[in-house]
Amino acid sequence: MEKRKVTFRIRRFNPKKDSQPYYQEYEVEVVKGMTILEALQFIKDNIDPTLSFRAFCRSAICGSCSVKINGYPKLACKTQVFGELEVYKTDILTIEPIDNMEVIRDLIVNWDSAIEKMEKMRPYLIPDPEVVPKTLDEECKVYPNELKKFDRFTDCILCTTCYSVCGIVKVDSNYGGPFPLARVYRFAVDPRDALKKERAKIGYTFDMWNCVRCEKCADVCPKHVAPVNGIMKLRGLSIDIGLKNNPGARHVAAFYKSLLESGMLNEVLLPLRTKGIKGVLENLPMGIKMILKGKAHSPIMKPIAEHEGLRKVMKAAMEVE
Amino acid sequence: MLQYDIIIVGAGGAGLYAALETSKKENLKVAVVSKVFPTRSHTGAAQGGINAALGNVAPDNPEKHSYDTVKGSDFLADQDAVELMCQMAPKIIREMEHMGLPFSRLENGKIAQRPFGGASFPRTCYAADKTGHVMLQTLYEQCVKNGVNFLNEWFALSLVHNGERIAGIVALNLRTGEIVGIRAKAVILATGGHARIYWKRTSNALGNTGDGPAMALRAGVPLKDMEFVQFHPTGLRRTGILVTEGARGEGGYLINKDGERFMKRYAPEKMELAPRDLVSRAIETEILEGRGFKDAEGNKFVYLDLRHLGRKKILERLPQIRELAIDFEGVDPIEEPIPIRPTAHYSMGGIDTDIYGRTRIKGLYAAGECGCVSVHGANRLGGNSLLDIVVFGKLAGEDAVNYVSEVSLLPFEESAVREQEDRIRALFNNDGSEKLADLRNELSDVMTYGAGIFREEKKMKEALEKVREIKERAKKIKVYDTDMTFNTNLQQTLEFLNMVEVAETIVLGALERKESRGAHFRLDYPKRDDENFLKHSIIERGDDGELKISWKPVKITKFQPEERKY
Ligand SMILES: Cc1cc2nc3c(=O)[nH]c(=O)nc-3n(C[C@H](O)[C@H](O)[C@H](O)COP(=O)(O)OP(=O)(O)OC[C@H]3O[C@@H](n4cnc5c(N)ncnc54)[C@H](O)[C@@H]3O)c2cc1C
Ligand code: SF4
Ligand code: SF4
Ligand code: FES
């Protein structure tokens, strides 16, 4: 059986006792097949009972255990230790709490504000009396192709991983955030819902147009939900219902332009095209904040290598639409 | 001290359905207490589906559903309860569907149904292999809609009553460490199952530790049919994490070392879709008789082969299973068979209740896996538990709403809170000569040895003694973490103490039931004995602190016991 000595460098913090977070190292002999969660529990059982983290299902379905492993947020329970050693070519793994939320203790964060925000966004079906039968003797008809439109978004386990990496969440306290907005979209395209496209107004109110489409939320989501896709589609619905003549809708056009030019989303130049110089000046503080926090690219960007290919795909996609 | 009309302990399917029911009534003060955020509850892990005789795929009716359930239970289920559940099933499925639950659909827009073990028709409604997950999310969403009040990350410690009526509970706020008395006219326990007692090989979440039954036992409330623990045939080799029965429902095969589909020797007609107790024993027999596989770590197993289903079907109907197999076994079921072995899965026994969830103490209810209305008897059919939790969660909620309109709050002695504070303080001050993790593993081994898939008197007697010894030794476990902010060391210790308490009832029940029925299989009494044991076992803690066993008749309405053949 393959074994390796691994040093877990874990960020510790108990706000009631410690003035500063600090790192503590634990050396563990790990057998192949062990997950990060099993390693944490091993440390708790055998080395340090005070190490605090959350976990419940240990099978990637409850959303309790997201932590940062060498800077990248993942579910501890579905991440193999050997896999991480391979990726980072190291014997030291740094485990930290996820970002954008206050630490309660060690790896345990306070997700209340993310959840409260979602709860304000009416994340539940409001039955459409035209579609949902009045009695329980009948089912609604939902066809497989209708289900397909929102099915993926019902995979969300509320692990808040996407929320923790979103740069806009960090700088715009009104921003709904990736998983809550994706959930709004989920209901907007459920044929049983009474609000339907009107739900885009909720997205609008919670600043969905501020999403810079960086796709980080899609990259980190352990359930492959890709909240950003929901947000983009919700924006589409918003245009459909006539929320058009606004910076947001102009932003869409500018976005395509930027993509076609550089092949990458140029986050800082975007406001210039949508809002003009005045708009940029208004947005400048946020832009600078984002660059400083490493959440945005510098305004000067080179076209990416596969740019030609991308341009073709984009053109084709637009023709289909 | 906090004060409510109704407290619901647990936010899984049972707790949330009870909460929805209470939210229909205005001006009631209700709180749901849960040790985890609601959508983290274990109901979310259910994969395969939920049964209801909708007849969308093949003609079906509640009576056939009842018969299959009673037969599956090896005739130990109470038939009035089964009939009620199966009658309510189609309506409650549609109720959830009207709430937005995204069931998988047929081409004609109706809810799709798949075959499941022990059912004579494709009766199981599902959402790919994430049925419990979407169910839990949908119920939670509706609770948000109805403004249900949640106390999340609170751990219930004890029940407070005056011998006749409930007065409330004492709970620990995990985030702050405060120990708080919560007064209420009614308390609904919906704390889920206890298969974590088999710590090293179980499909259950880390917190399925029998907190509800343990609290009930301490409060003098009896438990029913505790000897019946279900082992699910297909747990992943290393972790025991579940591969849904849906995988066999979709056509998966079981294969031994000789490449043989061995189920043909055990259930020639139903093959892999025989009920769980039968399939689990078949797999264990193959392994015991040397026809299983063994890996470098010493794990023994057989294979579940899905390859012939093809990529498309696997991706469409079993996407999560594929991912679990890849993440936890390094095996992609599209290309390779999945190594599996039976895993402790479900608690058929629990707090003794009637069909409204009422217990011996007035105003105290139990619903869901922690309770035992007795619809599963000696063996639960796949897809019947998700149904059980919503039906009886709803009924308990309804009954509690009526009950609280007629009664007032009881006095709640502060001493009940101090008692729990003292109990916890003692855990900080123990000598620490015993270690939590070691005892937990020992308990798991003892239970697997004495009260596992195959049982016999000698082993059970040893196990009972061992469990009692572990219980004594557990008095020396020390909680080293003394900080009260999110003290998970304390939480895990309290959970372990609950498990030991419940474990004792399982072994005692198993020892006294001298027959084989459903999941309870005794090598020394291999036959079902209706003459002596067509009855429920009832275990409670007497005034002297010792466990007492008694028996209660099974309710039989339509279906006379017959030999169970598949
Ligand atoms: C892997 C797996 C797959 C399954 N698949 C299926 C299936 O396909 N079909 C089917 O019908 N059944 C299935 N089951 C069974 C079914 O999922 C469970 O029986 C059911 O979900 C239990 O629901 P519940 O509401 O009783 O409890 P749970 O969902 O377990 O909820 C228990 C709640 O109680 C709370 N709680 C517990 N103790 C305390 C305490 N001390 N203080 C405060 N709160 C507490 C928890 O926080 C939680 O909110 C499956 C089970 C497993 C393990
Ligand atoms: S794509 Fe949008 S929602 Fe997703 S992380 Fe980036 S800014 Fe946030
Ligand atoms: S969208 Fe994905 S990352 Fe975000 S909360 Fe849901 S499951 Fe987690
Ligand atoms: S423990 Fe449930 S997602 Fe990791």
Side-chain angles (χ1 to χ4, degrees), chain B residues 16-65:
Chain B
L16 293 184
Y17 229 104
L20 281 180
E21 211 46 48
T22 61
S23 71
K24 287 184 186 160
K25 175 116 179 165
E26 272 172 53
N27 301 327
L28 266 189
K29 262 192 94 186
V30 180
V32 180
V33 176
S34 167
K35 63 181 174 182
V36 295
F37 180 77
T39 60
R40 319 264 184 251
S41 301
H42 197 55
T43 294
Q47 301 160 346
I50 171 165
N51 296 341
L54 297 177
N56 285 356
V57 177
D60 197 0
N61 63 46
E63 173 140 346
K64 290 178 186 161
H65 186 182

Side-chain angles (χ1 to χ4, degrees), chain A residues 139-247:
Chain A
E139 298 170 22
C140 310
K141 290 260 165 68
V142 180
Y143 295 93
N145 60 333
E146 291 177 315
L147 175 65
K148 233 186 191 144
K149 284 192 200 150
F150 62 90
D151 192 33
R152 171 56 33 123
F153 299 100
T154 68
D155 288 349
C156 170
I157 57 174
L158 298 179
C159 68
T160 69
T161 307
C162 55
Y163 195 87
S164 80
V165 294
C166 176
I168 306 305
V169 162
K170 193 168 217 153
V171 294
D172 173 4
S173 62
N174 183 54
Y175 183 56
F179 74 83
L181 285 167
R183 204 162 273 232
V184 173
Y185 174 72
R186 172 249 177 279
F187 289 107
V189 288
D190 190 323
R192 295 166 291 185
D193 192 64
L195 297 184
K196 301 213 163 63
K197 288 183 181 179
E198 292 290 303
R199 286 200 185 250
K201 288 183 183 158
I202 300 173
Y204 200 84
T205 317
F206 283 86
D207 286 356
M208 69 170 162
W209 291 96
N210 276 358
C211 166
V212 293
R213 210 172 173 176
C214 66
E215 308 229 329
K216 278 191 200 141
C217 54
D219 288 348
V220 297
C221 174
K223 302 307 274 186
H224 319 296
V225 173
V228 58
N229 294 349
I231 298 171
M232 291 310 126
K233 288 179 174 150
L234 196 62
R235 285 183 180 179
L237 298 183
S238 132
I239 293 172
D240 288 354
I241 60 171
L243 280 172
K244 257 188 224 161
N245 190 16
N246 56 62

Side-chain angles (χ1 to χ4, degrees), chain B residues 248-548:
Chain B
R248 279 172 292 135
E250 298 294 346
Y253 300 153
L254 291 167
I255 304 283
N256 67 13
K257 199 174 70 179
D258 308 326
E260 178 196 17
R261 254 182 98 181
F262 55 83
M263 280 312 297
K264 67 174 186 269
R265 262 183 282 125
Y266 303 88
E269 274 179 39
K270 287 255 152 189
M271 296 293 284
E272 279 83 1
L273 284 177
R276 293 175 175 177
D277 54 334
L278 228 146
V279 184
S280 292
R281 280 197 297 277
I283 296 173
E284 282 299 298
T285 306
E286 290 297 303
I287 291 173
L288 287 173
E289 293 180 357
R291 289 187 296 278
F293 300 84
K294 193 173 167 185
D295 66 13
E297 278 179 78
N299 297 307
K300 292 181 181 161
F301 58 93
V302 299
Y303 278 123
L304 172 66
D305 198 346
L306 304 180
R307 288 174 297 183
H308 55 281
L309 300 180
R311 184 183 183 83
K312 184 164 173 279
K313 199 163 182 186
I314 293 177
L315 290 181
E316 200 174 282
R317 307 266 178 94
L318 304 164
Q320 263 203 82
I321 291 304
R322 175 169 180 253
E323 205 150 304
L324 287 176
I326 293 174
D327 290 340
F328 295 97
E329 286 287 354
V331 162
D332 183 345
I334 294 175
E335 270 135 33
E336 282 174 87
I338 312 172
I340 55 98
R341 185 172 187 179
T343 182
H345 179 60
Y346 183 83
S347 324
M348 265 85 68
I351 301 162
D352 179 26
T353 76
D354 68 8
I355 53 176
Y356 304 104
R358 299 174 190 140
T359 68
R360 173 187 286 172
I361 302 222
K362 280 210 183 87
L364 177 67
Y365 295 78
E369 198 175 333
C370 73
C372 182
V373 186
S374 198
V375 283
H376 309 304
N379 173 60
R380 168 178 76 88
L381 294 188
N384 264 356
S385 169
L386 289 181
L387 180 61
D388 159 16
I389 65 179
V390 291
V391 165
F392 294 102
K394 185 181 170 93
L395 291 173
E398 240 172 44
D399 201 77
V401 167
N402 292 335
Y403 173 77
V404 297
S405 68
E406 288 161 12
V407 297
S408 49
L409 284 166
L410 275 192
F412 187 115
E413 304 294 334
E414 275 290 343
S415 62
V417 178
R418 277 198 300 279
E419 224 171 83
Q420 292 305 313
E421 285 169 348
D422 292 346
R423 183 171 160 235
I424 284 172
R425 197 167 315 118
L427 291 172
F428 292 126
N429 294 329
N430 280 345
D431 71 6
S433 56
E434 296 285 354
K435 217 168 97 182
L436 172 64
D438 293 346
L439 285 190
R440 208 159 48 190
N441 285 337
E442 257 182 68
L443 181 69
S444 167
D445 289 340
V446 165
M447 293 301 286
T448 307
Y449 173 80
I453 295 177
F454 294 107
R455 303 168 170 187
E456 59 187 303
E457 172 142 333
K458 185 176 141 286
K459 288 182 171 181
M460 282 188 284
K461 279 194 165 145
E462 278 172 54
L464 187 60
E465 229 161 83
K466 270 294 228 190
V467 170
R468 288 180 173 153
E469 191 191 304
I470 291 172
K471 200 168 146 189
E472 265 315 293
R473 285 165 60 199
K475 291 183 179 150
K476 296 179 180 157
I477 297 177
K478 180 182 175 74
V479 173
Y480 287 91
D481 185 352
T482 52
D483 198 282
M484 289 309 280
T485 308
F486 231 115
N487 188 336
T488 45
N489 184 202
L490 172 62
Q491 183 185 342
Q492 290 182 354
T493 306
L494 291 167
E495 289 174 335
F496 173 70
L497 296 173
N498 286 337
M499 285 199 291
V500 191
E501 209 148 348
V502 176
E504 193 183 351
T505 67
I506 296 176
V507 188
L508 183 65
L511 191 60
E512 295 293 330
R513 186 176 284 281
K514 298 183 170 64
E515 64 158 351
S516 290
R517 188 185 291 270
H520 172 67
F521 192 85
R522 289 191 59 159
L523 294 163
D524 45 357
Y525 298 93
K527 282 234 143 55
R528 192 174 87 194
D529 176 0
D530 284 346
E531 210 156 299
N532 296 303
F533 290 102
L534 185 57
K535 55 190 182 186
H536 301 293
S537 69
I538 302 289
I539 295 182
E540 62 194 294
R541 201 167 281 299
D543 295 332
D544 57 357
E546 296 294 309
L547 294 182
K548 286 192 310 197

